[in-house]
Amino acid sequence: MKLHDIKPAAGSRKKKKRLGLGIAAGQGKTAGRGQKGQASRSGGVKRAYFEGGQLPLVRKLPFARGVNFSNPYKIEYTPVNVSTLAGRFEAGSEVTPASLIEKGLTHGSDKYIAILGDGDITIALKVTAHKISEAAKTKIEHAGGTVTKIEVKRGGYRVR
């Protein structure tokens, strides 16, 4: 085998479509551009998001872009599961946001804690958090513990 014998695999190379070479070619006359209009002319390329001159959707919905779309009053909670509490705390101990930071379950920058009911708990704990799911509350109370909710203030309104 020599260098001039090497050819690409059959069907891997496609011939370029030659436009505007007469009716018999199949792409003669208008060359697949249609009859009239901007798209049929040379240089007639429409920019992205162009909608034929009507006000584009992107300009109709300015509120959906950037900073204005994010809710300034949104509260983000750090989730902690009941199974995690059972593994890290001893029976009868108090679980507060400060104690969770001490144990390394959350960071100091985390403002609000949400206790979720994933897993099982068998020890009695005194849990104090900003948000507690119904499943977590029933599991903690069933194990003999107590649940206290910390009130969260948001923009002058109290969230319960």
Side-chain angles (χ1 to χ4, degrees):
M1 183 192 290
K2 299 210 170 158
L3 193 61
H4 67 272
D5 292 332
I6 299 173
K7 289 191 166 104
S12 67
R13 304 285 288 183
K14 196 174 180 183
K15 281 192 171 184
K16 184 184 170 193
K17 190 184 283 187
R18 300 179 71 207
L19 303 174
L21 295 178
I23 297 166
Q27 289 293 333
K29 194 180 167 234
T30 55
R33 288 170 168 258
Q35 294 291 324
K36 299 179 191 172
Q38 186 179 11
S40 72
R41 315 276 193 244
S42 65
V45 180
K46 295 178 284 294
R47 67 183 182 276
Y49 310 113
F50 182 70
E51 296 181 19
Q54 76 173 8
L55 191 67
L57 185 69
V58 183
R59 287 187 57 204
K60 282 183 193 173
L61 306 172
F63 66 87
R65 291 181 289 169
V67 181
N68 297 334
F69 194 64
S70 59
N71 183 2
Y73 300 110
K74 181 182 179 185
I75 296 175
E76 289 193 20
Y77 295 93
T78 303
V80 179
N81 284 310
V82 174
S83 59
T84 312
L85 298 178
R88 296 286 183 100
F89 290 93
E90 295 172 12
S93 60
E94 283 192 34
V95 179
T96 60
S99 66
L100 290 170
I101 292 167
E102 256 179 52
K103 297 272 185 180
L105 295 174
T106 61
H107 300 289
S109 62
D110 296 340
K111 287 186 177 180
Y112 303 108
I113 306 295
I115 306 295
L116 303 178
D118 188 34
D120 292 320
I121 187 166
T122 54
I123 56 171
L125 295 172
K126 296 173 188 171
V127 180
T128 306
H130 300 96
K131 199 174 206 177
I132 299 159
S133 70
E134 284 297 317
K137 187 176 179 181
T138 54
K139 286 180 182 181
I140 291 165
E141 289 173 349
H142 186 72
T146 58
V147 174
T148 312
K149 196 171 179 185
I150 303 169
E151 202 170 285
V152 177
K153 290 185 181 181
R154 169 175 46 180
Y157 298 101
R158 289 184 178 175
V159 179
R160 294 179 191 261

